[in-house]
Amino acid sequence: MPSDYCKKIVCDDNGFLWIGTLNGLVKFNPVSKKVMTVLTRQHGLNESPIDVPINLLPNGKLVINFYTNLSIFNINKYQFNKVKPNVIFTTIKVLNEELLATYFSKMN
């Protein structure tokens, strides 16, 4: 789990638990006891700390009430990206000074 604090837990029709935590919305499989995914602002939620009410509608949509607006998404049709992008560092700076690759080769 990304956080040991949760505000609300909702069980969907497939038996998955949707848990609002301080670090995002967690889809949890209680059978395997594994976190399936963690949704945050990067996934389109209004905020990453889900310290607000969560409700499951009869049509399978999950509603998150962010005080000033709502986030609604269909948990049965939401597609999770399982392909992780390659990350390439082109420049590393410390105190606005660029570190050269030779610096890192000396560390090994």
Side-chain angles (χ1 to χ4, degrees), residues 5 7-8 20-21 47 49-55 63-67:
Y5 172 85
K7 177 71 173 186
K8 180 81 175 189
T21 73
E47 298 176 21
I50 310 299
D51 189 20
V52 294
I54 301 170
N55 295 293
V63 178
I64 305 168
N65 181 4
F66 289 106
Y67 302 117

Side-chain angles (χ1 to χ4, degrees), residues 37-101:
T37 190
V38 179
L39 301 175
T40 64
R41 289 185 78 151
Q42 295 174 339
H43 301 97
L45 292 179
N46 206 23
E47 298 176 21
S48 286
I50 310 299
D51 189 20
V52 294
I54 301 170
N55 295 293
L56 185 65
L57 299 178
N59 62 5
K61 292 183 180 177
L62 196 66
V63 178
I64 305 168
N65 181 4
F66 289 106
Y67 302 117
T68 59
N69 58 38
L70 297 174
S71 286
I72 302 173
F73 70 100
N74 189 331
I75 58 177
N76 297 317
K77 292 185 179 180
Y78 187 84
Q79 295 180 356
F80 298 97
N81 186 4
K82 295 184 180 183
V83 178
K84 297 189 180 194
N86 293 328
V87 177
I88 300 171
F89 292 97
T90 57
T91 305
I92 298 175
K93 291 184 179 182
V94 175
L95 299 174
N96 214 23
E97 298 275 334
E98 187 173 324
L99 297 178
L100 302 175

